[in-house]
Amino acid sequence: MRIVVDRDRCMGHAVCALMAPDLMELDDLGYNVTGEAKVEPADEALARRAAGACPEGAIAVVDAHA
Ligand code: SF4
């Protein structure tokens, strides 16, 4: 699966990086600059939780077969 972060929706709460620090890349102001990234199977549950926790709905989870 992949995560796709909508930078325009991100408000810099950094909740995502607190939940999944190894998956999310933030800039110096706390905005998510991950863009699009592949998620290894072992990290999928974590990625889904981080996406679900984003107050802005800025993180989309895209399944590999989608
Ligand atoms: S939780 Fe959402 S709004 Fe906050 S930094 Fe992460 S992607 Fe951006």
Side-chain angles (χ1 to χ4, degrees), residues 13-62:
H13 306 290
V15 177
C16 54
L18 289 175
M19 297 193 71
D22 292 339
L23 299 178
M24 304 296 166
E25 182 180 353
L26 303 188
D27 67 13
D28 290 344
L29 298 176
Y31 288 88
N32 193 322
V33 292
T34 306
E36 184 169 342
K38 185 177 187 306
V39 177
E40 297 301 325
D43 292 329
E44 288 188 0
L46 193 60
R48 289 185 198 282
R49 281 204 297 275
C54 173
E56 309 301 330
I59 305 170
V61 171
V62 182

